[in-house]
Amino acid sequence: MKTIFQQPSRDEFINRINALNSRHTAQWGKMNLYQMLKHCTVWNNWILGKSNQVYKQEFLGLVFGKLALKGIVRDDRPMKKGMPAGKGFIVKEKEGDIEAEKKIWISQIADYAHFSNPAFVHDFFGKMTEEEIGILAYKHFDHHLRQFGV
């Protein structure tokens, strides 16, 4: 199973992120390129524990979260198109510095080599193992890069 904690996976994502440019448009979903990049950098800050985010699981997550998580991390199937973004990760600004967001994202990916955030609780899935976090991060990044054709 691929995970963000494997160096070859991080290298793959860095190459794919570097391939992005302003000509890439979404093949599905509502985000433009800048919004997707910003979404991923904000999401990474949350996962990596670099934001002032409060870790709390939503009510629906308490009911369905663990079952949904098992469906995502049980095999190598990519995430489905059109998966909803969490409320805190929807980027409303439509324009920004694409190259700066790419650099931030690449830097964050390197940070996964030294991941340590034992307090992390996903807002829907709840408390996760490090292995589950690694698989989810891999699939999340792959999902958005496929969304933009890279």
Side-chain angles (χ1 to χ4, degrees), residues 24-43:
H24 285 94
T25 58
Q27 297 177 12
W28 71 81
K30 298 175 183 176
M31 293 185 218
N32 67 27
L33 180 61
Y34 172 76
Q35 290 171 313
M36 180 276 285
L37 290 165
K38 187 71 174 179
H39 162 81
C40 288
T41 60
V42 169
W43 191 84

Side-chain angles (χ1 to χ4, degrees), residues 37-140:
L37 290 165
K38 187 71 174 179
H39 162 81
C40 288
T41 60
V42 169
W43 191 84
N44 274 322
N45 279 338
W46 176 58
I47 299 285
L48 292 165
K50 294 182 176 188
S51 65
N52 293 326
Q53 186 78 27
V54 175
Y55 293 122
K56 184 179 177 191
Q57 189 175 15
E58 297 172 356
F59 175 73
L60 278 178
L62 288 169
V63 177
F64 300 110
K66 287 297 176 195
L67 183 64
L69 178 62
K70 286 181 198 267
I72 292 172
V73 301
R74 72 173 171 228
D75 57 34
D76 283 330
R77 280 183 292 165
M79 290 176 77
K80 295 177 183 174
K81 296 177 182 178
M83 296 282 287
K87 295 172 199 157
F89 307 104
I90 296 171
V91 177
K92 294 184 179 167
E93 309 93 60
K94 296 198 181 277
E95 293 182 22
D97 189 335
I98 289 171
E99 290 305 315
E101 289 303 318
K102 285 170 54 174
K103 287 178 184 172
I104 293 167
W105 192 6
I106 288 168
S107 173
Q108 291 170 329
I109 286 175
D111 290 344
Y112 280 97
H114 309 288
F115 179 81
S116 178
N117 187 5
F120 180 73
V121 176
H122 192 279
D123 60 350
F124 186 75
F125 302 130
K127 188 76 176 153
M128 298 171 63
T129 67
E130 192 168 304
E131 179 183 15
E132 290 169 333
I133 292 168
I135 294 168
L136 179 66
Y138 179 92
K139 287 189 173 195
H140 183 243

Side-chain angles (χ1 to χ4, degrees), residues 2-17:
K2 290 185 177 183
T3 170
I4 195 63
F5 299 127
Q6 299 163 334
Q7 186 63 50
S9 295
R10 291 192 300 274
D11 293 342
E12 168 196 337
F13 286 127
I14 290 167
N15 290 335
R16 290 168 72 185
I17 293 165

